[in-house]
């Protein structure tokens, strides 16, 4: 019975965090002021054909004072050069050979950061698509909050049922675990979470501290960068994109599960124990309530879960009814993603299936 009370406490605690995020509405907002500061948009690319869509969406921005540096491989060099040849603001940068002690992503990001000339640096994943006013609104946020780092959780594009079973779990974990407003308001690194698909830095602070160099050995170093930024007394913030940037992170169920398993454990401070406890309470908790508690308490628990899914979905720009309908499949997918993550954690492998 004591375990049931703990389950209920954890459920109510997560619901409280979700309500806080829903009411505080931690989203990037529209700025009526037009800025002119130089911005460097930095895109690390491997063999992602979706770079074409991203380049075209950047060209559609009403913000004009920017440069775009694209780190390319032989497979993407011709495509990128063809897209960039008519606009001098776009440049292709060859990926260097991997240095000892560096992960490829951190090395590429560090190289792009060193080559940039803007006052602000925006790192974007190749699978993203930016909407008009993104750059201007992000610059406004950096200025008014005096930020060293701004990160955005993108609006997710999902085209298959397999993706709908996995991708919504990204925001589900974030919005019922972390009060996003406290990332900026709480000086301690304890509230540190980022999304590598959009990370914006003050260029002066980036050049001085070389954040990617400091996490060069980390496969998933984005949250570590946030901890370093806050730990050194700088201000950082993580927000929801509010429709200003979209991405299709993965393709299908298998790719989604393996892709998300590479980073899910970072939500729990890279602790297998912490992730396992969370999975136990989230998945098996409602089952235990159904088996041992009254129907009234079971309905109460279901109500909290449904309301949480609705608030998280609305905040994330997702279909709440579809997420509620698919909730059981998403929870089963969460178990599978966690199993893959634990396997990779102990074998030190990383998959891009």
């Amino acid at each position: 019975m004591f375990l049931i009370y703990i389950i209920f406490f954890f459920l109510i605690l997560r619901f409280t965090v979700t309500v806080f995020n829903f009411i505080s509405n931690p989203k990037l907002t529209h700025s009526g002021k037009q800025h002119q500061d130089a911005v460097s948009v930095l895109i690390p690319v491997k063999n992602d054909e979706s770079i074409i869509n991203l380049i075209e969406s950047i060209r559609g921005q009403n913000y004009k004072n920017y440069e775009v540096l694209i780190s390319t491989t032989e497979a993407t060099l011709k495509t990128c050069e063809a897209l960039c040849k008519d606009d001098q603001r776009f440049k292709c940068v060859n990926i260097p050979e991997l240095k000892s002690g560096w992960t490829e992503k951190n090395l590429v990001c560090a190289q792009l950061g060193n080559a940039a000339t803007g006052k602000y640096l925006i790192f974007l994943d190749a699978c993203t698509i930016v909407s008009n006013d993104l750059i201007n609104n992000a610059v406004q946020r950096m200025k008014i909050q005096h930020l060293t780092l701004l990160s955005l959780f993108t609006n997710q594009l999902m085209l298959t049922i397999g993706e709908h079973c996995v991708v919504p779990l990204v925001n589900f974990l974030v919005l019922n675990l972390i009060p996003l407003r406290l990332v900026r308001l709480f000086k301690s690194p304890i509230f540190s979470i980022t999304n590598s698909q959009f990370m914006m830095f003050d260029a002066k602070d980036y050049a001085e501290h070389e954040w990617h160099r400091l996490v060069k050995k980390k496969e998933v170093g984005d949250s570590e960068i946030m901890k370093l930024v806050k730990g050194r007394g700088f201000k950082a913030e993580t927000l929801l994109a509010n429709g200003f940037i979209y991405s299709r992170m993965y393709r299908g169920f298998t790719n989604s599960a393996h892709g998300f398993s590479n980073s899910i454990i970072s939500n729990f401070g890279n602790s297998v124990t912490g992730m396992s406890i969370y999975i136990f309470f989230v998945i098996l908790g409602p089952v235990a309530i159904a088996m041992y508690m009254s129907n009234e308490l079971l309905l109460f628990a279901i109500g909290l879960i449904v309301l949480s899914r609705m608030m998280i979905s609305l905040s994330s720009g997702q279909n709440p009814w579809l997420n509620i309908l698919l909730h059981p499949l998403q929870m089963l997918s969460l178990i599978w993603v966690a199993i893959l993550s634990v396997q990779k954690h102990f074998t030190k492998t990383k998959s891009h299936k």
Side-chain angles (χ1 to χ4, degrees):
M1 186 61 68
F2 180 69
L3 181 60
I4 298 295
Y5 291 135
I6 295 178
I7 291 171
F8 256 108
F9 173 77
F10 187 64
L11 179 60
I12 293 171
L13 180 63
R14 291 191 297 114
F15 180 76
T16 302
V17 173
T18 302
V19 171
F20 176 83
N21 280 324
F22 186 72
I23 294 175
S24 63
N25 199 30
K27 296 179 180 179
L28 183 66
T29 55
H30 180 77
S31 170
K33 182 178 180 180
Q34 193 67 33
H35 296 281
Q36 302 296 331
D37 302 87
V39 175
S40 296
V41 180
L42 312 175
I43 310 172
V45 180
K46 286 189 176 181
N47 297 307
D48 200 327
E49 295 180 357
S50 61
I51 184 67
I52 300 173
N53 297 324
L54 175 56
I55 290 176
E56 293 303 323
S57 68
I58 293 173
R59 282 199 173 119
Q61 288 281 300
N62 57 3
Y63 201 93
K64 301 303 179 185
N65 190 15
Y66 65 81
E67 66 172 357
V68 178
L69 302 183
I70 306 168
S71 187
T72 61
T73 63
E74 291 183 5
T76 57
L77 183 59
K78 291 183 179 180
T79 300
C80 291
E81 286 182 339
L83 289 169
C84 301
K85 64 179 181 179
D86 296 327
D87 194 332
Q88 294 183 350
R89 295 175 298 182
F90 290 77
K91 301 175 183 178
C92 297
V93 180
N94 290 327
I95 294 178
E97 293 184 3
L98 188 61
K99 296 180 181 179
S100 176
W102 285 77
T103 64
E104 182 176 359
K105 179 181 178 182
N106 288 325
L107 178 61
V108 171
C109 288
Q111 180 205 26
L112 290 174
N114 290 335
T117 61
K119 181 179 179 181
Y120 298 103
L121 313 180
I122 297 178
F123 289 90
L124 291 178
D125 271 7
C127 65
T128 57
I129 299 175
V130 302
S131 299
N132 202 17
D133 289 329
L134 170 71
I135 297 178
N136 189 69
N137 295 338
V139 170
Q140 170 74 0
R141 194 69 188 176
M142 293 286 287
K143 284 178 173 290
I144 64 174
Q145 298 297 343
H146 307 289
L147 300 175
T148 289
L149 169 60
L150 171 65
S151 182
L152 299 178
F153 276 91
T154 63
N155 288 71
Q156 301 298 338
L157 299 173
M158 296 164 279
L159 302 183
T160 69
I161 292 297
E163 292 166 40
H164 279 286
C165 286
V166 177
V167 177
L169 294 171
V170 175
N171 283 16
F172 172 77
L173 289 179
V174 170
L175 294 178
N176 75 16
L177 276 176
I178 305 292
L180 285 186
R181 289 293 185 188
L182 298 189
V183 173
R184 175 176 60 85
L185 297 175
F186 206 77
K187 294 182 179 180
S188 170
I190 189 173
F191 291 112
S192 298
I193 189 166
T194 58
N195 180 18
S196 64
Q197 293 184 310
F198 180 101
M199 296 181 71
M200 184 175 187
F201 294 90
D202 179 282
K204 181 179 178 181
D205 294 335
Y206 187 92
E208 180 179 352
H209 297 276
E210 298 183 90
W211 303 114
H212 281 100
R213 181 184 62 80
L214 295 178
V215 297
K216 62 183 182 180
K217 296 181 180 180
K218 303 285 186 178
E219 285 288 352
V220 184
D222 311 306
S223 292
E224 296 298 322
I225 290 177
M226 174 73 78
K227 291 177 182 177
L228 287 170
V229 169
K230 296 184 69 175
R232 298 193 178 189
F234 295 102
K235 295 181 69 175
E237 186 170 40
T238 299
L239 298 172
L240 301 175
N242 198 23
F244 289 111
I245 177 171
Y246 291 83
S247 71
R248 189 181 179 197
M249 298 174 66
Y250 311 116
R251 303 290 193 273
F253 177 81
T254 301
N255 179 259
S256 299
H258 280 273
F260 187 30
S261 68
N262 291 328
S263 60
I264 183 175
I265 197 171
S266 66
N267 291 292
F268 304 93
N270 293 316
S271 169
V272 172
T273 302
M275 182 177 68
S276 300
I277 292 173
Y278 175 86
I279 298 296
F280 174 81
F281 281 114
V282 169
I283 306 298
L284 298 182
V287 176
I289 292 171
M291 292 177 61
Y292 297 107
M293 302 301 287
S294 65
N295 291 335
E296 289 78 8
L297 288 177
L298 175 59
L299 289 175
F300 175 68
I302 293 174
L304 292 182
I305 293 171
V306 169
L307 287 174
S308 293
R309 295 311 308 263
M310 290 188 70
M311 288 186 287
I312 291 172
S313 299
L314 292 172
S315 296
S316 305
Q318 298 170 4
N319 186 327
W321 302 113
L322 183 59
N323 281 337
I324 292 170
L325 178 66
L326 294 177
H327 181 77
L329 292 178
Q330 290 177 355
M331 294 302 99
L332 291 175
S333 299
L334 181 59
I335 296 174
W336 178 238
V337 169
I339 292 172
L340 291 173
S341 180
V342 171
Q343 180 187 29
K344 294 173 184 179
H345 179 78
F346 288 112
T347 59
K348 305 299 181 183
T349 60
K350 188 174 182 181
S351 172
H352 299 279
K353 291 183 181 180

